[in-house]
């Protein structure tokens, strides 16, 4: 397999993962698996890990298996999917855990219209503590008004 094809599969997987994460969040985490997602919305005091973290584990399993299959049996397109899932997981971790919720203090606070838009969309998602009637279930792409507002705010600085 030549590298442009590999990159296309890798990139497509990354994009599809945003869709998968959105659907999982909206229909499953705020649906029949709310019991696992609830502690991300209503966080018990002094609790470091959340049940919600299990979802990260859930996505890392297929990623690991695809990369393993590629290295054992030389199936590059499976590897491309595996690395695409892994890259998305890394991006999600950076945006959601590090930048928005600051569970790990790796980098200083941001001053950037893109990150601010993601942050305000996700904070609005968290403003609802219940299973139903939440908004903004996506992570790396949020709806246009958030970007517009953040863009304007940043231009004024
Ligand atoms: Zn949620
Ligand atoms: Zn969150």
């Amino acid at each position: 397999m030549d590298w442009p094809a590999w990159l296309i599969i890798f990139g497509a997987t990354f994009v599809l993962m945003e869709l998968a994460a959105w659907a999982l969040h909206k229909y499953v985490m705020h649906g029949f698996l709310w019991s696992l997602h609830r502690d991300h919305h209503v966080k018990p005091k002094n609790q470091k890990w959340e049940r919600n973290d299990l979802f990260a584990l859930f996505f890392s399993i297929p990623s690991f298996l695809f990369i393993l299959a590629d290295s054992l049996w030389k199936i590059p397109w499976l590897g491309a999917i595996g690395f695409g899932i892994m890259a998305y997981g890394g991006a999600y971790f950076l945006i959601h855990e590090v930048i928005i919720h600051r569970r790990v203090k790796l980098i200083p606070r941001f001053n950037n219209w893109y990150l601010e838009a993601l942050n305000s969309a996700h904070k609005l998602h968290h403003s609802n503590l219940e299973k139903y009637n939440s908004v903004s279930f996506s992570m790396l792409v949020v709806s246009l008004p958030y970007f517009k507002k953040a863009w304007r705010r940043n231009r004024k600085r």
Side-chain angles (χ1 to χ4, degrees):
M1 176 179 255
D2 46 357
W3 64 267
W6 194 93
L7 274 183
I8 288 170
I9 298 174
F10 172 82
T13 304
F14 190 93
V15 172
L16 284 176
M17 279 300 293
E18 170 72 4
L19 274 176
W22 167 81
L24 182 86
H25 189 188
K26 187 174 165 104
Y27 298 109
V28 178
M29 293 156 93
H30 283 258
F32 75 99
L33 286 183
W34 170 247
S35 56
L36 295 181
H37 184 54
R38 187 175 180 277
D39 69 352
H40 184 57
H41 281 263
V42 194
K43 197 169 179 156
K45 266 195 186 135
N46 303 321
Q47 179 184 306
K48 201 163 180 191
W49 291 96
E50 301 169 1
R51 281 192 198 182
N52 185 57
D53 295 330
L54 287 172
F55 289 104
L57 197 68
F58 168 78
F59 276 115
S60 68
I61 293 168
S63 169
F64 170 77
L65 291 178
F66 289 168
I67 295 169
L68 184 72
D70 179 21
S71 58
L72 288 179
W73 303 300
K74 299 277 166 286
I75 317 170
W77 61 270
L78 263 188
I81 295 176
F83 281 111
I85 299 174
M86 187 196 247
Y88 183 81
Y92 197 101
F93 177 82
L94 193 70
I95 299 289
H96 186 249
E97 259 60 53
V98 179
I99 292 176
I100 296 181
H101 290 302
R102 305 191 62 78
R103 289 171 78 189
V104 207
K105 300 202 170 34
L106 275 182
I107 42 180
R109 284 190 188 278
F110 42 88
N111 217 337
N112 163 310
W113 65 271
Y114 172 69
L115 295 176
E116 282 185 26
L118 302 190
N119 185 53
S120 54
H122 194 66
K123 290 289 157 66
L124 207 66
H125 175 73
H126 275 282
S127 67
N128 186 343
L129 302 180
E130 274 139 44
K131 181 175 174 180
Y132 298 107
N133 304 319
S134 257
V135 291
S136 296
F137 294 91
S138 55
M139 188 49 60
L140 303 184
V141 181
V142 297
S143 60
L144 211 53
Y146 297 110
F147 285 123
K148 279 190 187 152
K149 248 185 247 162
W151 176 259
R152 262 186 244 125
R153 231 181 291 133
N154 267 262
R155 272 214 333 219
K156 277 189 203 137
R157 279 194 197 122

